[in-house]
Amino acid sequence: WSIAKSACFVAVLMFISGIFNLTLGKVLRCLSFSDVKGLMGATCSACVSCGFLFNFELEHPTVKVSLLSMGLVLVLISMGLVRAFGLSLCSKMVPPETLNSVMTWATMAMSLGRGGGSVVCSVLSPDSFAPVLLGLFMVSMLSTLATRKFMKADIKAS
């Protein structure tokens, strides 16, 4: 593998996840369920997707790359949905006069998380990558479960 081939491979994975996220956005809009349920479902999906990322110490590199690719695409799709439902909830839960600042902070936090996550994951070993990612998803899911009763639309926002 060269850096150019690796970059092309990652670009293809991102392209596939982007197409799926665009398609799922249209499909999920038709199903019309709550943002909290969507957030929970997407977070659960991300947790399940981590199963493909564990280091199974497979001998054949093609199988190893296939499992890792499948896991990465599924995690990227799930996280795209988590991001979409999270931003949707942010815009509905705050009064209109604070909407701009809350959305700015939410976008900054997501950008920092994406950049910081890339740096942290780049130094993880194949044995620790999936457990760390799964742990982050589990914390996200548990915090959503713990606070879901408080995730209601603001009277002024609706």
Side-chain angles (χ1 to χ4, degrees):
W1 281 87
S2 67
I3 292 177
K5 287 181 183 178
S6 297
C8 288
F9 181 70
V10 171
V12 168
L13 292 179
M14 293 297 284
F15 178 75
I16 291 169
S17 71
I19 295 297
F20 270 98
N21 275 328
L22 289 172
T23 305
L24 282 173
K26 302 281 185 191
V27 170
L28 293 177
R29 189 179 324 150
C30 296
L31 296 177
S32 68
F33 52 88
S34 74
D35 289 336
V36 176
K37 288 181 183 176
L39 183 61
M40 286 301 304
T43 308
C44 287
S45 172
C47 289
V48 171
S49 300
C50 283
F52 292 101
L53 300 177
F54 281 92
N55 186 12
F56 296 111
E57 297 181 16
L58 300 169
E59 295 298 322
H60 205 277
T62 305
V63 176
K64 189 183 282 191
V65 169
S66 299
L67 275 177
L68 185 63
S69 300
M70 175 78 82
L72 288 174
V73 167
L74 291 174
V75 164
L76 286 170
I77 291 168
S78 299
M79 288 318 299
L81 291 174
V82 168
R83 194 175 305 116
F85 283 120
L87 284 175
S88 177
L89 274 169
C90 280
S91 68
K92 294 174 184 172
M93 291 173 47
V94 298
E97 59 270 7
T98 61
L99 183 63
N100 286 338
S101 61
V102 167
M103 293 304 289
T104 300
W105 280 103
T107 304
M108 284 174 32
M110 286 186 185
S111 299
L112 285 172
R114 190 169 207 158
S118 300
V119 172
V120 168
C121 288
S122 69
V123 298
L124 294 175
S125 71
D127 292 326
S128 62
F129 177 70
V132 168
L133 208 55
L134 181 60
L136 289 170
F137 293 148
M138 292 297 290
V139 167
S140 176
M141 186 173 62
L142 292 174
S143 64
T144 303
L145 269 172
T147 60
R148 73 181 185 282
K149 292 179 182 173
F150 303 104
M151 294 185 193
K152 295 182 178 149
D154 185 80
I155 295 170
K156 294 180 189 176
S158 57

